[in-house]
Amino acid sequence: MKRIIVSAALLTVTAANAQVKPKPKQNDVTTPLHAMKVNYPTPYGAPSKESVKAIVDRVYNYLNAVTPAEMMNKKTGAAVTDVNALDTNTVLKQGDFRLTSYEWGVTYSAFQRAAETTGDKKYAEYVKTRYDFLAKWIPVIQNKFTWEYIRKKGLLSQPINPHALDDGGAVCASMIKAQNSGLSNNLRPIIDHLSNYVINKEYRLKDGTLARMRPQANTLWLDDLYMGVPTMAFMGKLTGETKYYDDAVNQLQLYTKRMFNKEKGVYMHGWVESMEHHPEFRWARANGWALMTMSEVLDALPETHSGRTFVLQQFKAHVNGLMQYQDGTGFWHQLLDRSDSYLETSATAIYAYCITHAINKGWIDAMTYAPTAILAWNAVSTKVNKQGQVEGTCVGTGMAFDPAFYYYRPVNVFAAHGYGPVILAGAEMYQLLNQFKFEINDSSLQLSKK
């Protein structure tokens, strides 16, 4: 008889296999499929207040380091603090961004709002330091040098002699907020100068609509709502004069009549008086400026003003239109209704801010709109890198009548347009999380019933 030798290892494996029961089939009977883990491309669910503030702080730390408010001697590199030492060797110390651009007007407003919602005074101090700097140096430079020299050297030329709404509107509106809140008390001469340009000197159509003469004669840029109208509204709040409120509401009505597509619920970017047909390119950030303008006007307008009903209804119509175009990642596309255009950060941040602010103010319903805003914030938060820079922001953009222009606009961390909106969105999200509770209910984000 032949002897069969079986190794101990083989016996062990055989015994183990005999004890293993086959896994039950995963199907609708054996597995709660609705509760399976989902691989979301951006975080899903309500963030914590701590995580929101950490993002805002990261941006603050970066901006505070790279936006010096300082004059220096270009030959020696020494700081110039005495206005009597101003001479032709004096220059602005260079940083990553301009202190007087319209994008920084948004950023100054954003830090003021962040200070209000979080209670962290360092945000307000950032604004005060730079506004005190401007209030100190603008009149001295203006009196010392000719305009040609100021323009050539770039010595605070935008607020000294504005030539477009971009040069003063957003900064002026922010300065009025600082003046009204008591953050700064020496800005009134600059406010009066800038608001005079916006309200009385900027080119208008015959019916009073703010307009430009580029790229074609009598052109409306949707962006210009934000560049001009908040200044009008907050001048009303500063002076108590109704004419400023009336002008602000009228601008919104005039732009909306020409540029808002009621079926799609969003605005076109540009309108030209001489065109019989307007190519409707629905650029995301311009729609953001329009929505933010309405938000600012609602903040400034008295409850009793006759135009408030229109502004609030139009704000709601715009929000509802925009919600239809939010991508599953939480972002919106560069061209809102063209999903093959890239996902853009600054517009997404603006929408996150405006929707959240409206919820916090009670203008719109939290249950309906908060999940959209939270998803947008979660998306935006992924674009703030470790250094505190905001990624994925489209650079400055004119208006065009072809899609390629919008599809291929570059993105850059030094596109200043992204910073203010991200801070605003974070500031407002922080307050939302103070006011409301959220939970995952049946796998989706819901307003808590507790």
Side-chain angles (χ1 to χ4, degrees):
M1 179 185 292
K2 291 184 179 179
R3 208 180 225 181
I4 300 175
I5 301 174
V6 180
S7 71
L10 181 58
L11 286 171
T12 301
V13 172
T14 303
N17 286 341
Q19 295 174 9
V20 174
K21 295 180 180 179
K23 290 183 179 180
K25 184 188 297 183
Q26 288 189 323
N27 57 29
D28 191 48
V29 175
T30 63
T31 307
L33 301 178
H34 70 281
M36 291 178 68
K37 184 178 180 180
V38 180
N39 186 25
Y40 288 108
T42 51
Y44 188 79
S48 66
K49 288 191 301 181
E50 293 75 18
S51 70
V52 172
K53 191 170 185 301
I55 294 290
V56 177
D57 280 343
R58 200 185 310 163
V59 177
Y60 163 83
N61 289 335
Y62 167 64
L63 294 183
N64 195 43
V66 300
T67 54
E70 186 178 315
M71 290 292 186
M72 60 176 284
N73 185 298
K74 66 181 179 181
K75 288 188 174 180
T76 66
V80 178
T81 57
D82 184 355
V83 294
N84 295 314
L86 178 69
D87 60 22
T88 54
N89 290 317
T90 308
V91 295
L92 279 165
K93 186 174 183 179
Q94 293 296 304
D96 286 358
F97 303 96
R98 294 170 294 157
L99 297 181
T100 60
S101 67
Y102 73 82
E103 303 95 332
W104 239 242
V106 182
T107 304
Y108 295 137
S109 289
F111 275 131
Q112 290 182 72
R113 185 59 180 155
E116 291 170 359
T117 62
T118 68
D120 194 333
K121 295 180 180 179
K122 70 172 180 280
Y123 303 136
E125 188 60 32
Y126 176 95
V127 180
K128 179 173 172 52
T129 297
R130 283 148 187 83
Y131 277 168
D132 286 350
F133 173 81
L134 296 178
K136 174 182 177 179
W137 286 101
I138 283 174
V140 179
I141 292 170
Q142 197 168 8
N143 291 331
K144 178 84 172 183
F145 300 119
T146 66
W147 163 242
E148 184 58 31
Y149 180 86
I150 294 169
R151 182 193 62 78
K152 184 177 180 181
K153 298 298 182 180
L155 279 175
L156 303 178
S157 57
Q158 285 179 306
I160 287 174
N161 192 10
H163 283 76
L165 290 176
D166 293 5
D167 290 339
V171 169
C172 185
S174 176
M175 284 184 170
I176 297 171
K177 294 173 191 176
Q179 186 87 9
N180 280 337
S181 69
L183 181 62
S184 296
N185 57 14
N186 55 358
L187 296 173
R188 189 60 188 266
I190 304 174
I191 289 169
D192 289 342
H193 178 61
L194 293 177
S195 64
N196 181 53
Y197 177 84
V198 170
I199 295 166
N200 299 317
K201 295 185 177 181
E202 175 64 21
Y203 180 73
R204 298 190 185 212
L205 302 183
K206 290 180 180 179
D207 65 359
T209 310
L210 292 171
R212 302 195 192 199
M213 293 299 285
R214 62 182 178 90
Q216 303 294 334
N218 295 338
T219 294
L220 304 188
W221 296 43
L222 188 61
D223 322 46
D224 281 347
L225 279 176
Y226 186 79
M227 306 308 151
V229 173
T231 289
M232 297 172 180
F234 281 101
M235 279 300 289
K237 195 166 185 178
L238 181 65
T239 65
E241 295 188 47
T242 303
K243 65 180 182 180
Y244 296 118
Y245 295 134
D246 295 344
D247 200 2
V249 172
N250 190 41
Q251 293 301 320
L252 282 167
Q253 291 172 330
L254 291 167
Y255 270 75
T256 296
K257 180 180 178 180
R258 292 180 171 102
M259 304 176 76
F260 187 69
N261 186 314
K262 291 184 179 180
E263 292 182 2
K264 291 183 175 292
V266 292
Y267 289 85
M268 68 174 82
H269 183 203
W271 181 93
V272 180
E273 188 175 56
S274 62
M275 282 185 170
E276 181 179 353
H277 174 73
H278 289 86
E280 293 195 21
F281 292 102
R282 302 171 189 96
W283 183 40
R285 189 160 68 227
N287 272 266
W289 295 137
L291 190 67
M292 197 187 295
T293 299
M294 288 181 273
S295 178
E296 295 273 84
V297 171
L298 288 169
D299 279 341
L301 271 184
E303 293 288 337
T304 55
H305 192 277
S306 60
R308 189 175 181 87
T309 298
F310 163 78
V311 179
L312 183 56
Q313 288 177 345
Q314 184 57 30
F315 179 90
K316 290 178 177 179
H318 196 191
V319 167
N320 287 331
L322 289 167
M323 286 181 69
Q324 311 311 311
Y325 296 108
Q326 188 177 27
D327 186 77
T329 60
F331 291 97
W332 275 264
H333 291 269
Q334 166 81 337
L335 287 176
L336 291 169
D337 54 344
R338 301 201 180 194
S339 59
D340 59 338
S341 64
Y342 62 81
L343 301 171
E344 206 278 331
T345 303
S346 65
T348 302
I350 293 173
Y351 303 154
Y353 160 68
C354 290
I355 295 171
T356 310
H357 185 61
I359 296 168
N360 290 335
K361 286 285 189 175
W363 302 336
I364 58 177
D365 176 56
M367 187 181 298
T368 304
Y369 297 99
T372 289
I374 290 172
L375 181 61
W377 167 257
N378 287 347
V380 165
S381 68
T382 68
K383 291 297 184 179
V384 178
N385 65 27
K386 291 181 180 179
Q387 190 176 342
Q389 296 172 318
V390 176
E391 300 174 343
T393 295
C394 176
V395 299
T397 297
M399 57 164 292
F401 309 121
D402 65 86
F405 173 79
Y406 294 99
Y407 272 70
Y408 296 102
R409 294 302 291 155
V411 296
N412 197 289
V413 294
F414 297 113
H417 318 71
Y419 290 87
V422 168
I423 298 162
L424 278 168
E428 217 61 53
M429 186 58 58
Y430 189 93
Q431 180 166 325
L432 181 80
L433 296 169
N434 263 336
Q435 292 186 211
F436 300 96
K437 300 296 182 184
F438 300 91
E439 62 183 359
I440 298 297
N441 185 332
D442 203 14
S443 302
S444 68
L445 180 66
Q446 301 284 334
L447 183 68
S448 175
K449 297 178 182 179
K450 297 177 183 178

